Amino acid sequence: MSQLAQLIPYLTPYEKPFYFIILGVLFIPSILLSLNGKRMMWYQNFLTIFFLWISFGGPNSKQGLALIAYMIWQTLLTAIYFKYRQKDNKSSVFYLAVLLNLLPMFIIKLSPFFGSQSILAFLGYSYLTFKSVQVVMEIRDGILKEFNIKYYIQFLIFFPTISSGPIDRYRRFLKDYLNPPDKEKYVELLQKGIHYIFLGLLYKFIIGYVLGSQLLPTVQGFALGGTAPVLGTIGYMYVYSFYLFFDFAGYSLFAVGTSYLLGYETPMNFNKPFISPNIKEFWNRWHITLSFWFRDYVYMRLMFTLLKKKVFKSRVVASNVGYFGLFLLMGLWHGLTWYYIVYGIYHALLICINDAWLRYKKKHKDKLPSNRWTHALAIFITFNAVCFSFLIFSGFLDTLIKQFILV
């Protein structure tokens, strides 16, 4: 048994093609059962433990221990808050529960400023935090009437999505967990799941590889070499933008496809974002589950509070303040560096400009043309505005400043 275990390498989820070979072999019993409209939970639990073990065991065992500690913390916290919420509903207790939910992430994010990597860090901690905060907020809203620790743990450690999302919703996951698809439905999921995994292989291991490992260093060399810094930077902007999409969309497709093979309809995370005609549409197509999470659990709640307490008389002003708060938070979540913060502010500014333009367009719709050419122009402008934001996000401008200005 120990010899067999030695043959299985420790792997980050979807990191290497061999991960998919293991996935394909171990999924055979699950697929055969699902084709008969059944789900054997003990086998799904075995798959969960096995894939968490190869991702968080061996050289990553510190991360594994951090994951266990995190799960105990969040489960106890959420269970205690649920019990409290059955009796009372004080805002102070709710905010305290959310802050305690976020505490591990705060510690992990701030640790580098104190010269060390937190022992609490593990792969995917942000995504688990989004999930756990979501549950507490829905308990506060009275949407979640029941809390089952077993279901909650299954939701958090659902291994196909643990490393990079998509960020599923507890109620949606529970619906799939408690209602395995019948034979006909599963055949449909199986076909889609295989399709998504192969599409992810194309995105991640072919297109993403060529862009990230071949083209990106080339344009970076042009920019930093001093021969063509402007053209090199522009080239870097476009190559990096496409690399970011294909790499991340590839991971998301793996997670969605693997979920489908298990009979779970995990939501899609990308939907042709580069053909968006405006920045709002872009955020409805890019990293969709994260965008909607911030919309539902940050922006809408912030807007409700601002309007309810009449902090601003104008709804437009309140909305713009909400956008800046939202995207600043999103930027800070990516990291505590100037370019992530500027990235967030830049997107907030784009959305405010977009809203102002839509209001102007509505008032002057009889004077402004609206046809396929204006639609194409809108896509072109949005695409370039987004690519510039990814240039900021990449941190490459920081490298350029240090290379050419701070010398």
Side-chain angles (χ1 to χ4, degrees), residues 78-90:
T78 307
I80 291 170
Y81 181 72
F82 179 79
K83 195 171 182 180
Y84 162 80
R85 181 63 182 83
Q86 305 313 299
K87 301 174 183 175
D88 208 341
N89 187 25
K90 290 181 180 175

Side-chain angles (χ1 to χ4, degrees), residues 112 134 163 171 233 238 272 279 300 311 322 357 377 386 402:
Q134 168 207 143
S163 62
R171 283 173 291 152
T233 303
Y238 291 120
K272 302 173 185 173
I279 197 67
M300 298 300 289
V311 178
W357 165 248
L377 179 62
V386 165
K402 289 174 181 173

Side-chain angles (χ1 to χ4, degrees), residues 358-373:
L358 290 178
R359 288 192 296 273
Y360 176 85
K361 191 177 173 184
K362 190 176 179 181
K363 288 181 181 177
H364 303 82
K365 57 183 179 183
D366 53 331
K367 298 177 182 175
L368 294 171
S370 180
N371 51 49
R372 61 177 179 171
W373 297 109

Side-chain angles (χ1 to χ4, degrees), residues 14 20 165-166 192-193 195-204 245-259 268-270:
Y14 315 119
F20 296 91
K192 287 183 179 177
H195 170 72
Y196 291 149
I197 289 174
F198 274 92
L199 189 61
L201 291 170
L202 172 67
Y203 278 18
K204 165 69 184 168
F245 167 73
F246 283 107
D247 187 74
F248 196 12
Y251 272 117
S252 292
L253 285 166
F254 294 149
V256 173
T258 306
S259 302
M268 292 296 287
N269 224 9
F270 292 91

Side-chain angles (χ1 to χ4, degrees), residues 175-186:
K175 177 172 162 285
D176 284 356
Y177 181 84
L178 297 174
N179 302 286
D182 57 27
K183 182 179 177 180
E184 186 178 337
K185 177 67 177 175
Y186 183 72

Side-chain angles (χ1 to χ4, degrees), residues 203 240-250 270 273-274 286:
Y203 278 18
Y240 179 80
S241 298
F242 281 111
Y243 163 72
L244 190 64
F245 167 73
F246 283 107
D247 187 74
F248 196 12
F270 292 91
F274 290 142
W286 177 272

Side-chain angles (χ1 to χ4, degrees), residues 213-231:
S213 301
Q214 307 299 317
L215 289 180
L216 206 56
T218 302
V219 291
Q220 185 173 338
F222 280 125
L224 295 176
T227 53
V230 175
L231 284 177

Side-chain angles (χ1 to χ4, degrees), residues 31-188:
I31 291 171
L32 292 175
L33 282 169
S34 298
L35 284 171
N36 288 305
K38 298 177 182 176
R39 177 184 288 150
M40 197 175 288
M41 284 312 303
W42 73 263
Y43 192 72
Q44 183 178 310
N45 291 334
F46 161 74
L47 290 175
T48 299
I49 293 169
F50 176 82
F51 282 101
L52 290 181
W53 172 64
I54 66 172
S55 300
F56 297 100
N60 299 319
S61 57
K62 287 183 179 177
Q63 289 193 47
L65 292 174
L67 172 62
I68 292 170
Y70 179 90
M71 291 300 300
I72 294 171
W73 170 263
Q74 296 293 6
T75 304
L76 284 175
L77 183 64
T78 307
I80 291 170
Y81 181 72
F82 179 79
K83 195 171 182 180
Y84 162 80
R85 181 63 182 83
Q86 305 313 299
K87 301 174 183 175
D88 208 341
N89 187 25
K90 290 181 180 175
S91 295
S92 57
V93 177
F94 165 66
Y95 290 129
L96 178 62
V98 172
L99 280 174
L100 291 175
N101 264 139
L102 295 169
L103 183 61
M105 189 167 76
F106 285 151
I107 294 173
I108 295 167
K109 292 282 188 189
L110 292 173
S111 290
F113 289 92
F114 298 96
S116 64
Q117 185 72 28
S118 172
I119 58 170
L120 299 176
F122 61 90
L123 185 66
Y125 68 86
S126 291
Y127 295 98
L128 264 65
T129 301
F130 289 129
K131 286 181 171 183
S132 55
V133 170
Q134 168 207 143
V135 171
V136 167
M137 286 187 170
E138 294 197 345
I139 290 173
R140 166 73 188 282
D141 294 345
I143 297 172
L144 295 182
K145 307 290 186 186
E146 297 178 357
F147 178 73
N148 183 302
I149 288 178
K150 184 180 78 173
Y151 298 159
Y152 178 75
I153 292 174
Q154 290 277 0
F155 169 62
L156 287 189
I157 62 169
F158 186 60
F159 72 90
T161 62
I162 198 167
S163 62
S164 58
I167 306 165
D168 205 352
R169 303 293 175 99
Y170 180 69
R171 283 173 291 152
R172 202 221 60 75
F173 174 84
L174 199 59
K175 177 172 162 285
D176 284 356
Y177 181 84
L178 297 174
N179 302 286
D182 57 27
K183 182 179 177 180
E184 186 178 337
K185 177 67 177 175
Y186 183 72
V187 170
E188 182 187 332

